[in-house]
Amino acid sequence: MQPYEITLELDKVLEHAAGFTSNETSRRMMLDTRPVTDLADVRRENEKTDDALRLAMQFGTPPFSDFRDVCNRVTRAAAGARLSLRDLLDVTDLLRQVQALHNWYGHCSETATSLDYLFSLVTPLDSLLTTLERSVVSEEEIADSASPTLSEIRRKLIRERSQLRDTLDKMTRNKSMQKYLQDATVTLRDGRFVLPVKAEYRSQVAGLIHDTSSSGATLFIEPMQIVEANNDIRLLESREAEEIDRIVQKLCAAVGEQAETIRRLHATCAELNYYFAKANYAASLKAVKPLIGDDGVIELKKARHPLLDQSKAVPISLELGVAHNALIITGPNTGGKTVALKTVGLLTAMTMCGLLIPVTDGSRVSVFRHILADIGDNQSIEQNLSTFSSHILNLVEILNIADDSALVLLDEPGGGTDPVEGAALATAIIDTLKGHGAKVMATTHYQELKIYAADTPDVQNASCEFDTKTMSPTYRLIIGSPGKSNAFWICTRLGLPWWVLSDAESYISDENRRFENVISRFEESRKALESEREEAAKLRREAESLKAEWQEKRDNAAQEEKEILERASSQANRILESTKAQSNALLDELQMLRREKDKADFSARVTAARSAGTATLRDMYKTANPVIGSMDENGEYVLPRPLKRGDRVLIADLQQEAVISGEPDGSENVFVQMGVMKMKIQVSRLRLLDTSKTNPQSAGKKKKSVHQVSAKVERKGSMELDIRGLACDEGVMEVERFIDGAVLAHMGTVTIIHGKGTGLLRKAVQQRLSRMKCVKSYRNGLYGEGEEGVTIVTLK
């Protein structure tokens, strides 16, 4: 019997997963992975893969490179062997990989994972890595920085070669020498600098002959003037080679000293790459870790075959080992029966290999000691085996192995022989396997097996759905319902003549025809119930959506109500502070009048104070209610007077202020100016604002005849006093009164606006402030506060 890893195509899954590895060692580990039968080991391997997936999703996949297996090479180095520069570069690459993994893990959170023990073994060899990176440039070159001696030798070589080239250049530029030379080019022969001399002038150039051209017309002569310099260069080159050999030996010894650590680091990096490759493969399948047990229970939810296109694969859901121990799958050819069979077996094998599987959360997979599969056509001409014979040989082996920890997958058992005998044989085989305690899944076209599944308590029917309207399978697996083979439908689609099909139908027995009709009615009832269930689910989703929408609106209304109350409370507090300050000012005025009651103009002052008090109370009322107007008996807003050009109004539904820029027309519409925008709007949407404020159009036409002092709430919660235009003594008097009122109102900071002008008023005010005991400090305004035109006073 063919190994189930091949039958279920587990080898192809591992090949796909191996594509996510970065080095040959990890790739071999993936391809050599085999299902494990120990429950603890399976759970541990799945947990490692799942932890790798979570780490990769949270912090990105670690930076893995294509590092080589250097274990044998470092072992040879430990034994004293000399490594090549290529070997040393491979060791360097591995140590860089170790450093990268160490740095990556250092940026991860401290959440414990099952991979922590592997990362704890990733200990960088910083000193060795630095030495190798500083010393080895390429497969053919050692860096100057490998040792001070090598650096000094190479500096001398550069200097000597440069001097020698200068000497040769002078010789080639010499007029008398040029006629002896074949060309003015300096070349090398046996590592020594030579000149190409014409053969006929050999006696004219004193020196050593090192080579001759192929034609004999040119001799390569080392002039006697440079023989000593060439000797020095050759000596330096010899010293350079000796120093390089010493450096390489030292590097190999350093690598050999760390041979055991390097072998461990290589194994650890390869293993980490192995688990993260599993994780990345799982991410490509949108796979998850199932619940894993060894009780023989399989419960797959929306499972997809991993080798199919995941965007097109139709998911299946099924359970085995809970209410029934055998599942009989029926349906048309090419309807997905064998795919469903392979999906269950393959996902079980993948789980036992520590791979996550493409299912949804809540799926369960059991660990089996044996996965036994007889799928496909195993006929063999060489062994003189028919299809039926090969299946029987497989079934014999399965019956000998199957026990209570076996998953058996049978594709059309009993096929390839007489249908009656084949159906009876298939029924007996499934019964025997159940008797051994095995979990069985089988596909079939036999009516007898459908009836057997319907009559046997722990056996269940399932079918691959076939859409008779489109004449094609849907690949959906329907649990609890036997399916029809739909052979006649398929033959019709493929073009078999109708009279042949009609003749074929006449040979079907009445019993089989009645059974098929029962299946058809059952299928129709199932589809009707599914349609009703989908409609009910749709209505439930709509109801939940409406409920969520209503809940959101209610929450928004509650939040809006809260914000309105907060704004109202804030505005009330501001009005209260303003009212408190103005009432304190009235009390100060009364106190001053009480002190001056014996003066001649006392009566006039009382009258003026009463008028001022009335005006102040009116201003306080307007502050509390800025929209001027009244309500009629129906609760509708009524303008206190007709609107006119220049009135400030509030657009009620927009909560925007505007200015009337025209007269109302006969349709109760009027033009308003809102910023730079002019628009026509209905008068009913407008509310007249405080008319006591200066009309912006007439403000420029009025000329101040009386200096007024006003106290008002500042933008930031302090008070302002405007004394611009007052004489120094009048301004100081108003400042004293204002400061007294601010102290009574418990204000911390006030602003006095005196303007810049000549600076006399500012000077007089600040001199008086410096002598007032209730003043803690004062300063000129900053940029944006009015600068020298204002004084900011901090009160005690």
Side-chain angles (χ1 to χ4, degrees), residues 411-473:
D411 189 18
E412 299 191 20
T417 187
D418 178 79
V420 176
E421 293 180 352
L425 183 61
T427 303
I429 291 171
I430 293 173
D431 233 9
T432 303
L433 291 171
K434 286 200 303 97
H436 290 171
K439 304 300 180 287
V440 183
M441 283 185 64
T443 65
T444 188
H445 289 285
Y446 291 143
Q447 300 282 23
E448 291 82 357
L449 279 180
K450 300 177 188 178
I451 298 172
Y452 165 75
D455 292 340
T456 307
D458 62 343
V459 181
Q460 188 171 37
N461 270 307
S463 62
C464 289
E465 189 178 53
F466 186 84
D467 191 341
T468 55
K469 294 181 180 179
T470 61
M471 300 293 293
S472 61

Side-chain angles (χ1 to χ4, degrees), residues 318-361:
L318 59 86
E319 65 176 35
L320 185 65
V322 181
H324 51 274
N325 293 323
L327 188 66
I328 307 300
I329 304 176
T330 54
N333 290 320
T334 71
K337 300 189 302 298
T338 304
V339 172
L341 203 66
K342 286 187 174 183
T343 299
V344 174
L346 182 55
L347 297 190
T348 301
M350 286 175 63
T351 301
M352 293 166 64
C353 288
L355 293 165
L356 307 188
I357 57 176
V359 294
T360 57
D361 290 333

Side-chain angles (χ1 to χ4, degrees), residues 16-294:
H16 285 187
F20 290 89
T21 59
S22 68
N23 63 91
E24 187 58 32
T25 303
S26 301
R27 177 179 173 80
R28 287 199 308 271
M29 290 174 63
M30 189 70 73
L31 295 177
D32 293 341
T33 301
R34 291 296 177 265
V36 178
T37 58
D38 181 76
L39 177 61
D41 290 342
V42 173
R43 285 177 173 170
R44 186 162 47 249
E45 288 299 298
N46 275 268
E47 184 180 6
K48 290 178 184 178
T49 305
D50 191 49
D51 284 344
L53 178 60
R54 287 192 293 106
L55 286 172
M57 292 178 66
Q58 188 173 0
F59 304 104
T61 302
F64 286 106
S65 62
D66 184 14
F67 55 88
R68 308 293 177 84
D69 184 354
V70 297
C71 294
N72 291 334
R73 286 174 275 184
V74 298
T75 300
R76 288 192 293 106
R82 176 190 173 98
L83 302 182
S84 67
L85 295 185
R86 176 70 265 170
D87 295 337
L88 294 175
L89 286 173
D90 288 343
V91 173
T92 305
D93 289 342
L94 174 61
L95 297 182
R96 286 198 190 103
Q97 174 68 84
V98 171
Q99 184 70 59
L101 286 176
H102 178 76
N103 293 340
W104 179 87
Y105 189 65
H107 291 90
C108 297
S109 62
E110 297 181 359
T111 304
T113 70
S114 57
L115 297 174
D116 288 347
Y117 82 96
L118 284 175
F119 280 107
S120 68
L121 299 176
V122 181
T123 53
L125 298 178
D126 294 331
S127 177
L128 180 58
L129 175 59
T130 302
T131 301
L132 289 171
E133 287 181 330
R134 186 183 64 233
S135 303
V136 184
V137 177
S138 67
E139 296 183 27
E140 300 174 351
E141 183 181 358
I142 291 291
D144 294 353
S145 57
S147 76
T149 302
L150 181 62
S151 178
E152 178 64 24
I153 291 172
R154 286 181 172 175
R155 279 197 299 270
K156 289 182 179 179
L157 271 172
I158 292 172
R159 185 170 63 250
E160 292 290 336
R161 285 168 178 164
S162 176
Q163 292 175 356
L164 181 58
R165 280 191 170 278
D166 289 343
T167 301
L168 289 172
D169 287 342
K170 290 178 183 178
M171 294 179 66
T172 56
R173 288 196 300 269
N174 186 282
K175 296 292 185 181
S176 59
M177 178 65 72
Q178 285 181 352
K179 66 181 180 180
Y180 304 141
L181 300 178
Q182 197 69 258
D183 55 63
T185 303
V186 178
T187 61
L188 279 172
R189 285 295 184 276
D190 297 329
R192 302 178 73 90
F193 288 94
V194 295
L195 294 176
V197 180
K198 297 176 182 177
E200 60 268 25
Y201 295 113
R202 162 67 186 86
S203 60
Q204 303 300 322
V205 180
L208 304 176
I209 300 175
H210 285 275
D211 198 4
T212 307
S213 66
S214 58
S215 62
T218 304
L219 302 176
F220 296 97
I221 299 176
E222 178 184 5
M224 296 303 297
Q225 299 96 311
I226 65 170
V227 169
E228 190 64 28
N230 265 328
N231 289 339
D232 292 341
I233 291 174
R234 293 301 297 270
L235 180 61
L236 287 172
E237 288 174 345
S238 176
R239 289 179 58 195
E240 178 189 26
E242 292 174 358
E243 180 63 15
I244 289 174
D245 186 67
R246 186 191 68 80
I247 291 170
V248 172
Q249 289 289 2
K250 184 178 179 181
L251 293 176
C252 293
V255 169
E257 290 175 1
Q258 299 289 347
E260 183 61 32
T261 303
I262 292 173
R263 286 195 296 268
R264 172 176 54 79
L265 289 173
H266 173 266
T268 303
C269 291
E271 190 171 358
L272 283 171
N273 185 226
Y274 169 73
Y275 287 116
F276 277 96
K278 283 184 173 182
N280 288 333
Y281 179 57
S284 71
L285 295 176
K286 297 180 180 179
V288 300
K289 183 181 76 171
L291 301 173
I292 304 172
D294 59 357

Side-chain angles (χ1 to χ4, degrees), residues 394-415:
N394 289 341
L395 290 172
V396 169
E397 187 174 352
I398 289 172
L399 288 171
N400 289 333
I401 298 174
D403 57 15
D404 60 353
S405 183
L407 173 64
V408 182
L409 308 171
L410 304 177
D411 189 18
E412 299 191 20

Side-chain angles (χ1 to χ4, degrees), residues 758-796:
T758 61
L760 293 177
L761 182 56
R762 179 182 76 250
K763 185 176 180 181
V765 168
Q766 292 183 355
Q767 285 178 351
R768 180 68 186 100
L769 290 173
S770 65
R771 295 192 298 273
M772 297 181 73
K773 295 182 179 180
C774 59
V775 174
K776 182 178 181 181
S777 64
Y778 63 89
R779 60 175 175 83
N780 289 336
L782 301 175
Y783 180 79
E785 293 180 336
E787 301 179 33
E788 294 181 356
V790 302
T791 296
I792 309 299
V793 183
T794 302
L795 302 176
K796 294 182 179 178

